Amino acid sequence: MSEKLKVLLVFGTRPEAIKMAPVYLELSKRDCIIPEVCVTAQHREMLDQVLELFKISPDYDLDIMQHNQDLWTLTSNVLYRMKTIIEKSNPHIILVHGDTTTTMATSISAFYSKVPIGHVEAGLRTYDIYYPFPEEINRVVTDCVSSYFFAPTELSVQNLVSMGANKNYIFKTGNTVIDALLYTVNNHKSSLGMINLDKNLKTILITAHRRENFGKPLENVCHALLDIVKNHSDIQVVYPVHLNPNVQEPVKRILGNQERIILTKPLDYAPFASLMAESHIILTDSGGIQEEAPSLGKPVLVLREETERPEAVEHGTVKLIGTNREKIYSLVDKLLTDNSFYSSMAEATNPYGDGLASKRIADILEQNRQNLISKNNIHLKSPLGQEN
Ligand code: UD1
Ligand code: UDP
């Protein structure tokens, strides 16, 4: 058989792992492709939970996570340590995902090594360099040095076209998060794991971890939750608390040992998906949850001022509400007391994908195999502002 295409997938955090796992599983089925996985382990426990669920044993593990790490150390560690991995693996293409520091620093490392990059979940934008920070610039930098753009929606395609990316290499694939969600729901028995919900109460699920919300905004959110529980005796709040110490400290201080507020460790993805399905309302500043929850028909209140995922806002299932205590309280109160308002948000529509995104990405790589193997790809580089 002719030479196989070697694809190195690099990721480091929980959401990247969730969204790259189905791509890896799909590539593994193809006879003409050799997929390898390198984890930076920007996250450790939260990454390992996902690797175990999808039964992925990484070929390389940089194990770089440090307690309360800063962006400078993280960036330089990934950038430098990926050099050796790229030399050892010697891939024809490197796939990265989304907008984390692992993604951005790996892309620069791959660029220095002149290995083409395929960016999964390319083209998301708020057009505000500090919001979300540093993710907006992470994804812009990654798109600047990518050769293949796997864009989840039409809007992300348009963002890439406006930036001057080569139209012939922008592919609208849908978001692989839907593939991951469907895989998990179909392959893992529904269970809430260690969570013991009171079936007589409605559940509000909350997650929050964005850097913009550290300090006062996150404290406001916690106080709003206290107000909600105090004024609605039929409500319980479940909060799987992100392991970032900037989240752990205020959440445990304000919400620890409060009646009908359950704080847990981050949940494995399968129980978390079940918990989303069981919930009445979801509050979050997460990117991935904004994409998953609409397909479960759950109203989502987003604890941010801006989003790079406006599609579900336009569909009506997601509302951007920020972190003002009174505003959070009044919108949750409205959802709890106004049935028609609740129904208007609880429609199961999903603008993000149909569960086949990973298959499309694998098909595209297979079709471009000869070009990539013969390194006939330098012309794909797309400088900013290029005319298409
Ligand atoms: C990172 C990403 C963010 C993404 C989020 C998903 C960057 C700059 N940030 O933010 O875009 O939305 O992941 O969750 O890339 N920690 C642990 N164990 C873990 C994970 C984290 O203890 O398994 C703690 C460590 O103290 C670590 C800290 O959390 O230093 C922060 O982790 P880091 O990846 O830098 O930032 P996140 O806030 O997780
Ligand atoms: N998630 C999980 N367990 C949890 C909380 C979230 O498995 O306790 C999943 C969630 O379903 C989504 C992803 O983690 O797929 C989102 O990750 P996160 O919010 O950390 O990052 P973001 O998407 O904001 O980058």
Side-chain angles (χ1 to χ4, degrees):
M1 195 190 171
S2 54
E3 191 181 353
K4 295 190 181 194
L5 180 74
K6 191 165 199 192
V7 182
L8 178 64
L9 296 90
V10 184
F11 48 88
T13 66
R14 167 175 68 190
E16 292 167 79
I18 290 172
K19 292 167 164 184
M20 287 291 252
V23 178
Y24 174 73
L25 297 180
E26 186 61 39
L27 293 176
S28 305
K29 291 184 200 158
R30 311 286 171 119
D31 287 340
C32 60
I33 294 180
I34 305 174
E36 283 191 343
V37 169
C38 171
V39 293
T40 61
Q42 174 177 335
H43 285 174
R44 188 69 276 172
E45 304 92 308
M46 287 163 59
L47 170 76
D48 292 343
Q49 287 179 314
V50 185
L51 295 174
E52 200 177 310
L53 176 78
F54 288 94
K55 300 191 176 53
I56 297 175
S57 312
D59 300 276
Y60 308 96
D61 188 337
L62 299 183
D63 201 20
I64 57 167
M65 194 192 87
Q66 295 171 8
H67 180 75
N68 208 5
Q69 59 208 0
D70 65 51
L71 293 173
W72 294 265
T73 318
L74 184 58
T75 304
S76 49
N77 279 340
V78 175
L79 178 65
Y80 184 63
R81 305 235 354 238
M82 277 311 299
K83 174 178 186 278
T84 317
I85 304 299
I86 295 169
E87 279 164 7
K88 275 193 197 153
S89 168
N90 194 20
H92 297 110
I93 182 166
I94 292 177
L95 295 188
V96 293
H97 180 279
D99 55 20
T100 69
T101 294
T102 285
T103 307
M104 182 273 292
T106 298
S107 301
I108 298 293
S109 209
F111 171 61
Y112 289 165
S113 306
K114 295 202 173 141
V115 177
I117 299 149
H119 188 192
V120 180
E121 201 183 86
L124 277 63
R125 297 286 186 272
T126 60
Y127 294 104
D128 179 339
I129 61 168
Y130 290 117
Y131 216 104
F133 175 84
E135 289 84 359
E136 177 74 2
I137 286 305
N138 282 347
R139 53 195 171 221
V140 170
V141 169
T142 302
D143 283 332
C144 286
V145 293
S146 291
S147 297
Y148 287 78
F149 304 90
F150 302 112
T153 64
E154 185 54 37
L155 183 63
S156 44
V157 169
Q158 289 314 319
N159 289 334
L160 291 162
V161 171
S162 323
M163 141 184 153
N166 187 331
K167 273 183 188 160
N168 296 329
Y169 292 90
I170 303 174
F171 305 93
K172 188 168 104 180
T173 57
N175 198 308
T176 60
V177 77
I178 307 300
D179 311 17
L181 187 63
L182 295 179
Y183 172 94
T184 305
V185 171
N186 294 334
N187 290 284
H188 293 273
K189 219 172 100 249
S190 166
S191 134
L192 295 180
M194 54 186 161
I195 303 286
N196 219 344
L197 288 183
D198 183 335
K199 294 281 176 202
N200 298 314
L201 302 176
K202 287 181 184 157
T203 299
I204 295 180
L205 171 62
I206 156 125
T207 78
H209 71 275
R210 297 244 83 83
R211 276 180 158 72
E212 301 81 53
N213 285 342
F214 291 170
K216 191 79 183 132
L218 186 53
E219 293 188 1
N220 289 342
V221 172
C222 293
H223 286 292
L225 292 171
L226 288 177
D227 297 342
I228 293 160
V229 170
K230 189 169 143 220
N231 291 306
H232 292 275
S233 56
D234 57 342
I235 288 301
Q236 62 195 333
V237 169
V238 183
Y239 189 161
V241 189
H242 193 289
L243 295 180
N244 193 321
N246 300 290
V247 179
Q248 290 271 324
E249 188 283 319
V251 171
K252 289 186 172 161
R253 171 167 44 83
I254 301 170
L255 298 179
N257 300 316
Q258 296 286 340
E259 211 187 329
R260 287 180 285 116
I261 296 188
I262 305 169
L263 303 184
T264 76
K265 290 188 177 145
L267 298 177
D268 288 351
Y269 187 49
F272 188 77
S274 303
L275 184 58
M276 281 194 288
E278 292 279 328
S279 299
H280 190 61
I281 301 170
I282 299 176
L283 267 63
T284 192
D285 65 10
S286 159
I289 296 170
Q290 286 177 63
E291 294 157 343
E292 292 164 336
S295 61
L296 301 168
K298 303 295 168 181
V300 184
L301 300 178
V302 176
L303 306 164
R304 295 171 56 177
E305 308 298 337
E306 294 176 35
T307 183
E308 58 288 291
R309 296 167 168 92
E311 294 88 347
V313 177
E314 277 152 27
H315 275 71
T317 33
V318 167
K319 268 195 200 314
L320 272 186
I321 65 164
T323 54
N324 176 281
R325 176 175 175 175
E326 287 76 29
K327 187 161 184 194
I328 296 170
Y329 179 81
S330 79
L331 273 159
V332 170
D333 183 67
K334 191 161 186 226
L335 280 168
L336 291 172
T337 53
D338 180 340
N339 286 342
S340 62
F341 181 59
Y342 184 89
S343 309
S344 71
M345 285 190 72
E347 267 181 51
T349 53
N350 198 319
Y352 295 111
D354 58 2
L356 297 173
S358 308
K359 187 176 173 307
R360 292 189 188 102
I361 292 168
D363 287 347
I364 292 157
L365 291 175
E366 225 180 300
Q367 284 152 17
N368 284 272
R369 182 168 68 104
Q370 277 316 334
N371 258 348
L372 284 163
I373 288 173
S374 58
K375 303 202 189 304
N376 190 12
N377 49 46
I378 295 303
H379 68 283
L380 301 184
K381 301 291 180 201
S382 46
L384 279 176
Q386 165 184 295
E387 290 292 321
N388 278 291

